[in-house]
Amino acid sequence: MATRFTRALRLATLPIALAAAFAAAPPAGAAGPVHYTVTFIGSKSLPFGNEPFAINSAGHTAGLGTFRGSSGETAYLSTGPTQLTSLPGLVTDDPDLATATEAFGVNDSDTVVGAARLNFPIRQDAVVWRGGRPTDLNIPLPGDQEVRAVGIDNAGRIAGSGLDTGKAWLYRNGTTTILPDLPGGQAAEAFGITQDGQVLGVASTTADSRHAEAVVWRGGTVVPLGHLAGSTWSEAHAMNQAGVAVGAAGVGGDEFAPRHPVVFVGGKVTDLWPDLGGSTSGTAFSINRAGTIVGDGRAGWVYRDGVRTDLDALIPPDSGITITAAWAINDAGQIAATAELKNGTTPQRFPKYAILLTPVPG
């Protein structure tokens, strides 16, 4: 690859009305905004904080966390606000490598996927943790020193990428399938997986990997999802049961242009934050069954009933935090997000804090 990527239906067959729902203003009489309670995931007193990248149906989260006695962040699984479990690496006799892990996905069985550092040679391998115990997936990408798993469904199918080789892959029951490139392209990266095994990501459209398009892989076939007008870059991160995909798209440029959060549906790409600005980037990271979308930009936000709202406006005013990114949402509407304290006093000026946002009934 000349550059490294940043972090399904065939959608053209979806009803036109479904696409219009994301482009139109909210219908008259639509419900008001949902408000949320705030729960910190883990301790607020640790220097580096926590960052949740995935959530399952029970509200359990996985991501990066800080633990006492550790010099940095390591992969974690949280099955409750105070129940953070550190997920170990593959090399237990080296204090540094034993905690050099990252978690990016979790399913309803609390099986977590991510990556762990190894040495001889120094590399990062894709890992699955079952019951807190790591297993190297041994993805067959010879020479690739940066292999990671990014998502797992409830059937145990795992999606991931080799960042050096530029290959997206799907793993199931010990077998790895390398996912195809787009015609003319030479690189791809996976960002997520649906519950029926469709993989979301990005694939280059030419030999120059700065030009790439959001794609979904289904049954071994790669399907492009489109760009915003005037751009040559887009990427897909998630898709719900209705086949509505979300991600990001460049605004008037290639891989290095600013990006806006977008929705892909019915062959149409819709900008969810048109006034984000030309120098600020944002991404839609997750969508649930009801079509509620969350992401980042100048702030963490939620998109519901045709309206994008900063999450700071939907939490109690005395919460004392600023929500910087919303990473994942489950079908119950719970959101895994990252926040900063408005008046932090920790050694790091702006540490990250993992929070769980739960909709207020009524």
Side-chain angles (χ1 to χ4, degrees):
M1 297 174 61
T3 62
R4 173 170 292 178
F5 288 122
T6 63
R7 302 235 320 169
L9 300 166
R10 292 184 177 272
L11 299 181
T13 65
L14 291 175
I16 297 299
L18 188 58
F22 283 90
V34 172
H35 288 75
Y36 300 89
T37 60
V38 178
T39 304
F40 280 85
I41 303 170
S43 173
K44 289 189 288 183
S45 64
L46 296 174
F48 301 104
N50 305 314
E51 197 160 15
F53 295 129
I55 189 170
N56 67 14
S57 63
H60 301 169
T61 62
L64 287 174
T66 302
F67 295 85
R68 296 191 186 281
S70 173
S71 59
E73 295 172 305
T74 190
Y76 84 82
L77 169 68
S78 173
T79 55
T82 63
Q83 298 173 321
L84 260 67
T85 300
S86 174
L87 299 176
L90 297 166
V91 181
T92 58
D93 58 356
D94 184 311
D96 293 325
L97 293 177
T99 60
T101 56
E102 301 173 289
F104 299 110
V106 61
N107 69 7
D108 288 346
S109 299
D110 289 334
T111 302
V112 180
V113 295
R117 290 282 172 186
L118 295 169
N119 54 12
F120 306 117
I122 297 174
R123 65 191 190 279
Q124 181 187 69
D125 279 5
V127 171
V128 57
W129 288 271
R130 296 184 178 91
R133 301 180 58 146
T135 299
D136 193 333
L137 294 177
N138 292 311
I139 303 300
L141 293 174
D144 199 314
Q145 296 181 337
E146 296 286 338
V147 183
R148 63 174 59 169
V150 296
I152 181 170
D153 67 12
N154 289 334
R157 291 171 289 217
I158 300 170
S161 304
L163 299 182
D164 290 327
T165 53
K167 296 298 180 184
W169 48 265
L170 178 65
Y171 174 97
R172 187 179 188 187
N173 296 331
T175 299
T176 301
T177 301
I178 305 300
L179 299 173
D181 297 324
L182 284 172
Q186 298 181 359
E189 184 174 355
F191 292 121
I193 189 170
T194 67
Q195 286 304 326
D196 59 353
Q198 299 178 74
V199 179
L200 284 301
V202 58
S204 62
T205 53
T206 68
D208 180 354
S209 61
R210 293 176 301 174
H211 299 172
E213 186 167 348
V215 296
V216 57
W217 287 275
R218 182 173 187 243
T221 300
V222 59
V223 180
L225 300 180
H227 303 105
L228 290 174
S231 172
T232 61
W233 182 276
S234 60
E235 59 190 46
H237 285 255
M239 185 169 66
N240 69 4
Q241 294 88 336
V244 180
V246 297
V251 180
D254 59 17
E255 178 184 7
F256 301 106
R259 303 174 194 182
H260 284 190
V262 296
V263 63
F264 306 91
V265 62
K268 181 179 178 63
V269 184
T270 301
D271 191 338
L272 297 180
W273 199 344
D275 60 348
L276 178 59
S279 61
T280 304
S281 288
T283 299
F285 290 115
S286 184
I287 180 172
N288 68 5
R289 182 185 293 270
T292 305
I293 303 167
V294 297
D296 75 348
R298 290 193 295 262
W301 52 268
V302 60
Y303 183 93
R304 178 176 177 265
D305 293 332
V307 178
R308 189 205 61 80
T309 307
D310 286 355
L311 283 164
D312 287 342
L314 303 176
I315 61 175
D318 60 353
S319 298
I321 60 173
T322 297
I323 300 174
T324 57
W327 299 102
I329 185 170
N330 63 16
D331 287 342
Q334 293 176 296
I335 299 170
T338 302
E340 295 175 350
L341 298 183
K342 290 182 178 178
N343 297 297
T345 57
T346 59
Q348 188 179 356
R349 185 180 179 191
F350 295 116
K352 301 178 292 291
Y353 293 100
I355 59 171
L356 179 67
L357 302 179
T358 301
V360 177

